[in-house]
Amino acid sequence: MTSELLERALVEEATKKSGLIWVEAVPHTGAHPQVAPARALWHVWHEGAACVVGDGPGEQPLAGLTHGGEAVVTVRSKDKGGRIVTWPARVVELPPGSPEWEAAVAELKGKRLNAPDGEDMPERWRRECRVLRLEPRGATLPLPSDSQAAPPPPSPAVTRRPIPAALPRLLRRKRR
């Protein structure tokens, strides 16, 4: 019982203090499981869960997170950036306009940086976004032993090209 309380306290304190959490949706067992990579999400800790808003224009993507689904949340240290704790979560989508949604949005609104619409933000979230609660469940998970770094996704924005033949001459000229 004591270790459960300590784990719960660790999850809550680490998540409250961290500016970002890494969230990975756990795929549903079925014919076509959708696996989304872990994403860094800004959040707010509210009433025992991490609350996030997204999936609307100009907001963070919540790919793979569905109501009733599961996720794995990794919390990093705010000052050092290293992993502190990893915990399993149940995903709950809050219905727009419900008392729970209103309370979560009031907290999220204070943490949202650079919002294009200021005071109208909650109304836009009601129309265009989803607000999710990531509720801790079960014991914390062991931290991975590897770096978990993934190669960047393919992109046409490539910088690996041969240097121009004249560049070494131009650089030598600048030194003089």
Side-chain angles (χ1 to χ4, degrees), residues 94-108:
L94 301 176
S98 68
E100 297 86 8
W101 187 91
E102 295 290 343
V105 164
E107 294 291 322
L108 286 161

PDB file of all heavy atoms in Angstrom, residues 94-108:
ATOM      1  N   LEU A  94     -13.400  14.421 -22.718  1.00  0.00           N
ATOM      2  CA  LEU A  94     -14.407  15.186 -21.987  1.00  0.00           C
ATOM      3  C   LEU A  94     -15.402  15.792 -22.972  1.00  0.00           C
ATOM      4  O   LEU A  94     -14.996  16.440 -23.942  1.00  0.00           O
ATOM      5  CB  LEU A  94     -13.746  16.283 -21.159  1.00  0.00           C
ATOM      6  CG  LEU A  94     -12.731  15.793 -20.125  1.00  0.00           C
ATOM      7  CD1 LEU A  94     -12.077  16.970 -19.428  1.00  0.00           C
ATOM      8  CD2 LEU A  94     -13.388  14.873 -19.118  1.00  0.00           C
ATOM      9  N   PRO A  95     -16.710  15.593 -22.733  1.00  0.00           N
ATOM     10  CA  PRO A  95     -17.702  16.182 -23.635  1.00  0.00           C
ATOM     11  C   PRO A  95     -17.720  17.704 -23.504  1.00  0.00           C
ATOM     12  O   PRO A  95     -17.762  18.226 -22.392  1.00  0.00           O
ATOM     13  CB  PRO A  95     -19.033  15.577 -23.184  1.00  0.00           C
ATOM     14  CG  PRO A  95     -18.756  14.724 -22.008  1.00  0.00           C
ATOM     15  CD  PRO A  95     -17.303  14.767 -21.702  1.00  0.00           C
ATOM     16  N   PRO A  96     -17.673  18.421 -24.636  1.00  0.00           N
ATOM     17  CA  PRO A  96     -17.676  19.893 -24.581  1.00  0.00           C
ATOM     18  C   PRO A  96     -18.892  20.424 -23.814  1.00  0.00           C
ATOM     19  O   PRO A  96     -20.006  19.953 -23.998  1.00  0.00           O
ATOM     20  CB  PRO A  96     -17.747  20.316 -26.044  1.00  0.00           C
ATOM     21  CG  PRO A  96     -17.201  19.150 -26.798  1.00  0.00           C
ATOM     22  CD  PRO A  96     -17.588  17.930 -26.003  1.00  0.00           C
ATOM     23  N   GLY A  97     -18.619  21.377 -22.939  1.00  0.00           N
ATOM     24  CA  GLY A  97     -19.694  21.993 -22.171  1.00  0.00           C
ATOM     25  C   GLY A  97     -19.996  21.322 -20.853  1.00  0.00           C
ATOM     26  O   GLY A  97     -20.696  21.899 -20.021  1.00  0.00           O
ATOM     27  N   SER A  98     -19.480  20.110 -20.632  1.00  0.00           N
ATOM     28  CA  SER A  98     -19.734  19.425 -19.360  1.00  0.00           C
ATOM     29  C   SER A  98     -18.967  20.140 -18.245  1.00  0.00           C
ATOM     30  O   SER A  98     -17.993  20.851 -18.509  1.00  0.00           O
ATOM     31  CB  SER A  98     -19.306  17.962 -19.447  1.00  0.00           C
ATOM     32  OG  SER A  98     -17.900  17.881 -19.559  1.00  0.00           O
ATOM     33  N   PRO A  99     -19.372  19.976 -16.986  1.00  0.00           N
ATOM     34  CA  PRO A  99     -18.641  20.620 -15.889  1.00  0.00           C
ATOM     35  C   PRO A  99     -17.167  20.214 -15.842  1.00  0.00           C
ATOM     36  O   PRO A  99     -16.302  21.040 -15.556  1.00  0.00           O
ATOM     37  CB  PRO A  99     -19.380  20.151 -14.630  1.00  0.00           C
ATOM     38  CG  PRO A  99     -20.743  19.756 -15.102  1.00  0.00           C
ATOM     39  CD  PRO A  99     -20.575  19.284 -16.516  1.00  0.00           C
ATOM     40  N   GLU A 100     -16.875  18.952 -16.152  1.00  0.00           N
ATOM     41  CA  GLU A 100     -15.485  18.490 -16.173  1.00  0.00           C
ATOM     42  C   GLU A 100     -14.699  19.192 -17.269  1.00  0.00           C
ATOM     43  O   GLU A 100     -13.552  19.576 -17.088  1.00  0.00           O
ATOM     44  CB  GLU A 100     -15.413  16.965 -16.374  1.00  0.00           C
ATOM     45  CG  GLU A 100     -16.036  16.153 -15.270  1.00  0.00           C
ATOM     46  CD  GLU A 100     -17.535  15.948 -15.458  1.00  0.00           C
ATOM     47  OE1 GLU A 100     -18.086  16.307 -16.540  1.00  0.00           O
ATOM     48  OE2 GLU A 100     -18.172  15.444 -14.515  1.00  0.00           O
ATOM     49  N   TRP A 101     -15.328  19.352 -18.448  1.00  0.00           N
ATOM     50  CA  TRP A 101     -14.690  20.030 -19.576  1.00  0.00           C
ATOM     51  C   TRP A 101     -14.411  21.481 -19.216  1.00  0.00           C
ATOM     52  O   TRP A 101     -13.318  21.991 -19.456  1.00  0.00           O
ATOM     53  CB  TRP A 101     -15.594  19.932 -20.807  1.00  0.00           C
ATOM     54  CG  TRP A 101     -14.983  20.455 -22.066  1.00  0.00           C
ATOM     55  CD1 TRP A 101     -14.263  19.748 -22.977  1.00  0.00           C
ATOM     56  CD2 TRP A 101     -15.044  21.794 -22.569  1.00  0.00           C
ATOM     57  NE1 TRP A 101     -13.864  20.571 -24.013  1.00  0.00           N
ATOM     58  CE2 TRP A 101     -14.329  21.833 -23.781  1.00  0.00           C
ATOM     59  CE3 TRP A 101     -15.626  22.967 -22.112  1.00  0.00           C
ATOM     60  CZ2 TRP A 101     -14.191  22.987 -24.547  1.00  0.00           C
ATOM     61  CZ3 TRP A 101     -15.485  24.126 -22.861  1.00  0.00           C
ATOM     62  CH2 TRP A 101     -14.772  24.128 -24.065  1.00  0.00           C
ATOM     63  N   GLU A 102     -15.392  22.158 -18.644  1.00  0.00           N
ATOM     64  CA  GLU A 102     -15.240  23.569 -18.261  1.00  0.00           C
ATOM     65  C   GLU A 102     -14.092  23.748 -17.271  1.00  0.00           C
ATOM     66  O   GLU A 102     -13.290  24.665 -17.400  1.00  0.00           O
ATOM     67  CB  GLU A 102     -16.540  24.118 -17.664  1.00  0.00           C
ATOM     68  CG  GLU A 102     -17.705  24.176 -18.637  1.00  0.00           C
ATOM     69  CD  GLU A 102     -17.559  25.229 -19.719  1.00  0.00           C
ATOM     70  OE1 GLU A 102     -16.725  26.148 -19.572  1.00  0.00           O
ATOM     71  OE2 GLU A 102     -18.290  25.136 -20.713  1.00  0.00           O
ATOM     72  N   ALA A 103     -14.001  22.859 -16.270  1.00  0.00           N
ATOM     73  CA  ALA A 103     -12.944  22.965 -15.262  1.00  0.00           C
ATOM     74  C   ALA A 103     -11.566  22.719 -15.887  1.00  0.00           C
ATOM     75  O   ALA A 103     -10.608  23.441 -15.596  1.00  0.00           O
ATOM     76  CB  ALA A 103     -13.203  21.970 -14.131  1.00  0.00           C
ATOM     77  N   ALA A 104     -11.471  21.712 -16.750  1.00  0.00           N
ATOM     78  CA  ALA A 104     -10.190  21.407 -17.405  1.00  0.00           C
ATOM     79  C   ALA A 104      -9.774  22.542 -18.329  1.00  0.00           C
ATOM     80  O   ALA A 104      -8.606  22.936 -18.356  1.00  0.00           O
ATOM     81  CB  ALA A 104     -10.289  20.090 -18.177  1.00  0.00           C
ATOM     82  N   VAL A 105     -10.705  23.094 -19.084  1.00  0.00           N
ATOM     83  CA  VAL A 105     -10.397  24.174 -20.015  1.00  0.00           C
ATOM     84  C   VAL A 105      -9.962  25.433 -19.261  1.00  0.00           C
ATOM     85  O   VAL A 105      -9.065  26.147 -19.711  1.00  0.00           O
ATOM     86  CB  VAL A 105     -11.599  24.455 -20.952  1.00  0.00           C
ATOM     87  CG1 VAL A 105     -11.479  25.790 -21.658  1.00  0.00           C
ATOM     88  CG2 VAL A 105     -11.716  23.330 -21.970  1.00  0.00           C
ATOM     89  N   ALA A 106     -10.558  25.693 -18.114  1.00  0.00           N
ATOM     90  CA  ALA A 106     -10.150  26.855 -17.315  1.00  0.00           C
ATOM     91  C   ALA A 106      -8.675  26.733 -16.922  1.00  0.00           C
ATOM     92  O   ALA A 106      -7.932  27.714 -16.955  1.00  0.00           O
ATOM     93  CB  ALA A 106     -11.031  26.979 -16.070  1.00  0.00           C
ATOM     94  N   GLU A 107      -8.231  25.522 -16.590  1.00  0.00           N
ATOM     95  CA  GLU A 107      -6.823  25.300 -16.247  1.00  0.00           C
ATOM     96  C   GLU A 107      -5.939  25.356 -17.489  1.00  0.00           C
ATOM     97  O   GLU A 107      -4.864  25.951 -17.472  1.00  0.00           O
ATOM     98  CB  GLU A 107      -6.646  23.943 -15.550  1.00  0.00           C
ATOM     99  CG  GLU A 107      -7.317  23.851 -14.202  1.00  0.00           C
ATOM    100  CD  GLU A 107      -6.655  24.733 -13.158  1.00  0.00           C
ATOM    101  OE1 GLU A 107      -5.417  24.838 -13.162  1.00  0.00           O
ATOM    102  OE2 GLU A 107      -7.383  25.321 -12.349  1.00  0.00           O
ATOM    103  N   LEU A 108      -6.376  24.727 -18.570  1.00  0.00           N
ATOM    104  CA  LEU A 108      -5.588  24.690 -19.806  1.00  0.00           C
ATOM    105  C   LEU A 108      -5.406  26.084 -20.403  1.00  0.00           C
ATOM    106  O   LEU A 108      -4.349  26.403 -20.941  1.00  0.00           O
ATOM    107  CB  LEU A 108      -6.250  23.772 -20.833  1.00  0.00           C
ATOM    108  CG  LEU A 108      -6.119  22.272 -20.565  1.00  0.00           C
ATOM    109  CD1 LEU A 108      -7.161  21.498 -21.353  1.00  0.00           C
ATOM    110  CD2 LEU A 108      -4.722  21.796 -20.899  1.00  0.00           C
TER     111      LEU A 108
END
